Amino acid sequence: MKKSLAVMLALIMVLALVPTVAFAAGNTIYVDANNGDDTTGDGTQTNPYATVGKAAAEKAESGDTIMLGEGNYTLYNIPSDNTTKGKNLTFIGQGFDKTTWNIGTGTVDVFGQGNGDFSFNGSGTIEFQNMTLKAAVINGTGEQVDWDYTGFAHTTNTIVKNCTVNGKTFYWGYTSAVFKDTTFNAPAGDYAIWTYSSPTMTFDNCTFNASGKVINVYTDYSAGDHDITVNFNNCTVNSNFQSYVSMFSNNKTALNINDSNMGKFKYILNISG
């Protein structure tokens, strides 16, 4: 017994001398639209890139964080093959009033709908923090013509934390979409967001500023092949419904639930707070 105790004590002493190993969550890459340079920059804090496309293509690996300076950013119309496909990436801005991410600048197609943003096609988990996400459809001359059918098409998981979302979006994570401490500013008389492509969509401590419509719990036939879960937790809805009632008679408050395309499947709604 004494010998066994001595061996155990010796082993504990040896383990105590082994240095603690810190497992890095990934590297941090810096991008500054105003002061960076894609030609001479190397993605460090003192020598940032100018565009997020350069950072994603040249340096970013799965698990990395890309710090964005003040200014406007997008990956729209840049193929994901060499930038974001297969990667888990986190983008952190300087605040909703300083950093803006443009969700596509999709032109209007022959059906009058804007194109989705495929810049994260085939990616893993994409997270946005501390910025404004702006969704709009732009025509060929750069004029905003609609707030329709935008969003990140064919992503896997999306996470949005402490952000502002301006406009209406349809496409988020095709496996899950999570929004935390985020403010949604819906277009006049229209929804802030559709649950269109996400089997599970979660809103935690979010604020919705709208004119009646807020979330359209809906999918079409092609997506109606599974149950869809919507978690609506501790959220605030500010709606001036009355001011638009004469113009938009089909306004709904908070959640508009339409299961006409769900067949044998169902919506699971968890509402709290």
Side-chain angles (χ1 to χ4, degrees), residues 75 78-87 118-123:
L75 281 171
I78 298 176
S80 66
D81 292 346
N82 298 319
T83 55
T84 62
K85 181 170 279 190
K87 298 178 182 178
F118 288 83
S119 54
F120 295 103
N121 180 25
S123 61

Side-chain angles (χ1 to χ4, degrees), residues 186-192 208-216 237-245 248 250-256:
D190 211 337
Y191 294 103
F208 295 85
N209 298 315
S211 52
K213 299 178 178 182
V214 177
I215 300 175
N216 193 22
V237 176
N238 300 313
S239 174
N240 59 336
F241 173 74
Q242 293 298 326
S243 65
Y244 282 89
V245 69
F248 303 97
N250 63 338
N251 272 349
K252 308 292 184 182
T253 57
L255 303 177
N256 176 48

Side-chain angles (χ1 to χ4, degrees), residues 100 122 151:
T100 298

Side-chain angles (χ1 to χ4, degrees), residues 7-27:
V7 171
M8 291 178 63
L9 290 172
L11 179 60
I12 292 172
M13 291 179 66
V14 170
L15 291 175
L17 295 175
V18 176
T20 302
V21 178
F23 294 94
N27 297 315

Side-chain angles (χ1 to χ4, degrees), residues 69-92:
E70 295 186 20
N72 294 308
Y73 300 88
T74 189
L75 281 171
Y76 178 75
N77 216 22
I78 298 176
S80 66
D81 292 346
N82 298 319
T83 55
T84 62
K85 181 170 279 190
K87 298 178 182 178
N88 302 320
L89 297 172
T90 299
F91 299 89
I92 301 178

Side-chain angles (χ1 to χ4, degrees), residues 121-270:
N121 180 25
S123 61
T125 297
I126 301 298
E127 182 169 334
F128 298 93
Q129 298 181 23
N130 304 330
M131 68 181 75
T132 287
L133 297 161
K134 182 180 179 182
V137 177
I138 310 299
N139 66 16
T141 62
E143 177 187 7
Q144 179 178 306
V145 293
D146 200 359
W147 304 83
D148 210 359
Y149 281 88
T150 53
F152 298 115
H154 296 291
T155 56
T156 303
N157 302 295
T158 54
I159 301 173
V160 178
K161 293 181 179 178
N162 194 34
C163 290
T164 294
V165 180
N166 292 334
K168 179 176 66 175
T169 56
F170 280 60
Y171 308 113
W172 290 92
Y174 279 50
T175 298
S176 69
V178 177
F179 302 89
K180 295 184 177 181
D181 302 309
T182 290
T183 298
F184 292 81
N185 296 316
D190 211 337
Y191 294 103
I193 189 170
W194 287 34
T195 62
Y196 199 69
S197 62
S198 303
T200 300
M201 186 170 276
T202 299
F203 302 92
D204 286 330
N205 300 308
C206 293
T207 299
F208 295 85
N209 298 315
S211 52
K213 299 178 178 182
V214 177
I215 300 175
N216 193 22
V217 183
Y218 171 80
T219 189
D220 62 18
Y221 291 103
S222 62
D225 59 359
H226 48 70
D227 290 343
I228 295 176
T229 300
V230 179
N231 302 307
F232 195 75
N233 308 317
N234 299 312
C235 295
T236 299
V237 176
N238 300 313
S239 174
N240 59 336
F241 173 74
Q242 293 298 326
S243 65
Y244 282 89
V245 69
S246 61
M247 295 173 59
F248 303 97
S249 60
N250 63 338
N251 272 349
K252 308 292 184 182
T253 57
L255 303 177
N256 176 48
I257 303 164
N258 184 341
D259 63 355
S260 60
N261 294 331
M262 291 295 286
K264 65 180 181 180
F265 300 97
K266 60 183 179 293
Y267 289 116
I268 301 168
L269 306 176
N270 300 309

